[in-house]
Amino acid sequence: MADTIFGKILSGEIPSEFIYEDEHCVAIHDINPQAPVHVLVIPRKPIEKLSDAEPEDQALLGHLMLAVGTIAQQLGVVDAFNLMVNNGEAAGMTIHHLHLHILA
């Protein structure tokens, strides 16, 4: 999945401004926002979609949820955001690298 746009962002091949970054994930503003605040939280581990996650990914998935809270606090939307995960093309997934949408 290094050939996805997210893989290229994570490798530095495509420059991007991270609004949050840690050893497990990064967050960027969506280039086609669907809300006034629309941020993508992208795990560094390339998992194609949520339904492909394995039991060993449990800690990473929990970490992503905690990162969402930190990012929402940072953005000033901690009490008013939606979290969305598309799983597969039929659900609107266009980039095949697991990512979470923070919409506020």
Side-chain angles (χ1 to χ4, degrees), residues 72-88:
Q73 181 81 32
Q74 174 185 324
L75 295 171
V77 298
V78 73
D79 291 327
F81 70 90
N82 292 308
L83 186 63
M84 186 174 74
V85 179
N86 297 324
N87 191 78

Side-chain angles (χ1 to χ4, degrees), residues 9-42:
I9 288 170
L10 290 166
S11 72
E13 185 178 338
I14 296 176
S16 186
E17 182 180 340
F18 297 153
I19 62 167
Y20 175 86
E21 177 178 14
D22 66 29
E23 66 274 12
H24 301 292
C25 64
V26 301
I28 59 174
H29 288 285
D30 194 299
I31 60 170
N32 185 22
Q34 304 300 307
V37 173
H38 188 168
V39 170
L40 306 176
V41 182
I42 308 163

Side-chain angles (χ1 to χ4, degrees), residues 30 34 84-96 99 101:
D30 194 299
Q34 304 300 307
M84 186 174 74
V85 179
N86 297 324
N87 191 78
E89 289 179 18
M93 186 177 210
T94 57
I95 299 172
H96 295 276
H99 56 287
H101 297 257

